[in-house]
Amino acid sequence: MLALRLARGAHPLVLLRRLLVAAASGGTGFLLLAALGHAAAHPATAADSFVRLLWCAVPVAATIQLAVSTARTDPASRPHRGMSAAGLGPVRLTVIAATSTAVSCVLGSFVALLAFLMVRGDLVGATAADSAAQLLGAGHSLPLAGALMLLAVVPVTAATATAVVLRPLRNARGAGRRTGASAGAGAGESLTAMDTNSTASAVPAALPWGMALTAAGLALETYVSRGPANADTLLPLPGRLIGSPPGVLAGWALSTLGLVLAGPGLARLSGRLLAAGRPGAVRLLAGRVLQEESRRIGRPLGVLCAVASGAYAAVKVYETAPTRPFGPLTGLGAALVLACVTASALTAALEARWARTHTTAALRRLGTPRSVLFRASVLRVLALLVVLGPLTWAIAELAALPLLH
């Protein structure tokens, strides 16, 4: 009840983010039910139905990432002065955040169930179209237990992930860091703490490992895609999943993991390049802040780059294979994943902005114009685009190249 009351009194932007989580959960639940409906309508092709269900792991992971990112930026999950005395300590706040996440996901799953039954014609008794009969298994009984279990995957997993990420130990460490940062707020914190000798650090060790995994994934994809044997098995998505060479999917998974691992290092590298040479105040501020925020925004940016490169490669592949158009479920899954990872990256940016509130306040007390802070923000965005944009395009081209021949 407390979680519902906090939701009612939340800021409109917070409610919008929770609504996005509910929508993502609904789309993912619809895809899971579609896989179940196909299995009920085609019991003889259990392997095809199982692979369809495996493909749903991608939107499930994207939805969970969005749910956790939303919970991290929810004001109700942050410790405030006096809340412990009112019985809202770190443990209670974590429980409230997990409950709010579960409620949003359950709402989306319920809407997905209603939409699925309506499209199949089970609610109003109408005759479903041939496309619905093929995709959703209309006319065949749906196992209720299986449907409920699949719909519970996203709420349970998202709530568990939220509780793990916002566990009290992590909150205590984060509060300690923020307290130390605020204690040093002032003239020395604003620019002196951003001195090259004091804050500049080496590129994280995960960057070379991430790039190595990306290169290994591209190499694996190139190796398994050689020869005419794969001419009829060109990376089909849901509806045509079985023909996919397993090595192609494994290579794409390795490349994705590599970009996720390399994300923080690439963000830090962007900041170091921005502050290289003899920077002015704006460029120095932008570069140092980007380095400090690299861990917070790096992983979501890495996921976004991986999904963008995969989408670009898939579009190029399907342009050369006109007999394999995108199906409605494929389009829904792709749109869902792209929307989730984009929203997660934007949410991480909002979290980073909240985390540097004390530094921004100190700069404002020193008389720093808002235009300087705005230009620094623009420079950070441009630096990330300059570094991540060409890298994403290159990886997408290399991923699509072996599949085009």
Side-chain angles (χ1 to χ4, degrees):
M1 292 298 298
L2 180 58
L4 293 177
R5 290 181 180 179
L6 290 175
R8 289 177 55 190
H11 192 273
L13 290 179
V14 177
L15 294 177
L16 177 61
R17 290 198 293 266
R18 291 176 180 173
L19 183 61
L20 289 177
V21 172
S25 177
T28 304
F30 190 90
L31 292 176
L32 291 170
L33 291 176
L36 180 62
H38 181 274
H42 305 85
T45 58
D48 189 7
S49 301
F50 179 71
V51 175
R52 285 173 177 266
L53 189 60
L54 285 182
W55 269 102
C56 294
V58 179
V60 167
T63 302
I64 293 172
Q65 182 196 18
L66 176 60
V68 173
S69 299
T70 300
R72 286 170 61 98
T73 56
D74 195 334
S77 64
R78 301 170 187 167
H80 297 280
R81 186 175 302 173
M83 296 186 69
S84 297
L88 294 177
V91 176
R92 182 67 64 86
L93 290 177
T94 301
V95 172
I96 291 175
T99 303
S100 300
T101 301
V103 169
S104 300
C105 293
V106 167
L107 176 62
S109 297
F110 178 73
V111 174
L113 179 61
L114 291 180
F116 180 78
L117 295 177
M118 187 174 297
V119 173
R120 278 170 47 104
D122 295 338
L123 290 182
V124 295
T127 303
D130 293 337
S131 58
Q134 180 181 2
L135 293 175
L136 307 180
H140 297 81
S141 60
L142 200 68
L144 180 60
L148 294 179
M149 287 182 61
L150 288 179
L151 288 177
V153 168
V154 174
V156 172
T157 309
T160 303
T162 299
V164 171
V165 171
L166 299 180
R167 61 192 183 274
L169 179 61
R170 187 185 186 93
N171 284 340
R173 291 175 178 172
R177 287 194 298 266
R178 289 192 295 270
T179 302
S182 61
E189 178 197 18
S190 56
L191 291 177
T192 306
M194 294 179 180
D195 183 73
T196 305
N197 296 327
S198 60
T199 59
S201 58
V203 176
L207 178 58
W209 283 105
M211 299 311 297
L213 279 178
T214 302
L218 294 174
L220 177 61
E221 183 181 349
T222 303
Y223 178 77
V224 300
S225 301
R226 293 183 304 176
N230 293 325
D232 295 329
T233 58
L234 193 59
L235 196 59
L237 293 175
R240 298 294 301 276
L241 289 168
I242 298 300
S244 296
V248 171
L249 302 182
W252 182 80
L254 277 178
S255 300
T256 301
L257 179 60
L259 281 176
V260 173
L261 289 178
L266 292 173
R268 180 175 288 274
L269 180 62
S270 302
R272 296 192 67 182
L273 292 177
L274 191 59
R278 300 176 64 87
V282 177
R283 193 154 62 91
L284 177 63
L285 176 64
R288 293 295 172 252
V289 170
L290 187 55
Q291 292 183 61
E292 291 295 327
E293 296 176 351
S294 60
R295 289 187 177 274
R296 182 174 284 108
I297 67 175
R299 296 291 173 83
L301 287 178
V303 174
L304 180 60
C305 292
V307 172
S309 64
Y312 179 85
V315 169
K316 291 205 64 174
V317 167
Y318 273 83
E319 285 178 353
T320 64
T323 59
R324 300 211 182 140
F326 287 108
L329 295 181
T330 301
L332 174 62
L336 179 63
V337 172
L338 284 173
C340 286
V341 298
T342 303
S344 298
L346 294 176
T347 303
L350 290 176
E351 182 186 9
R353 180 181 180 183
W354 172 77
R356 65 174 183 270
T357 302
H358 297 293
T359 302
T360 304
L363 291 172
R364 291 293 297 157
R365 286 196 299 270
L366 288 173
T368 305
R370 292 186 181 273
S371 59
V372 172
L373 300 178
F374 177 75
R375 284 190 306 223
S377 300
V378 172
L379 280 179
R380 289 196 296 272
V381 174
L382 291 178
L384 290 173
L385 289 177
V386 168
V387 173
L388 298 180
L391 178 63
T392 303
W393 174 80
I395 292 176
E397 288 285 348
L398 292 175
L401 186 61
L403 299 176
L404 296 177
H405 302 286

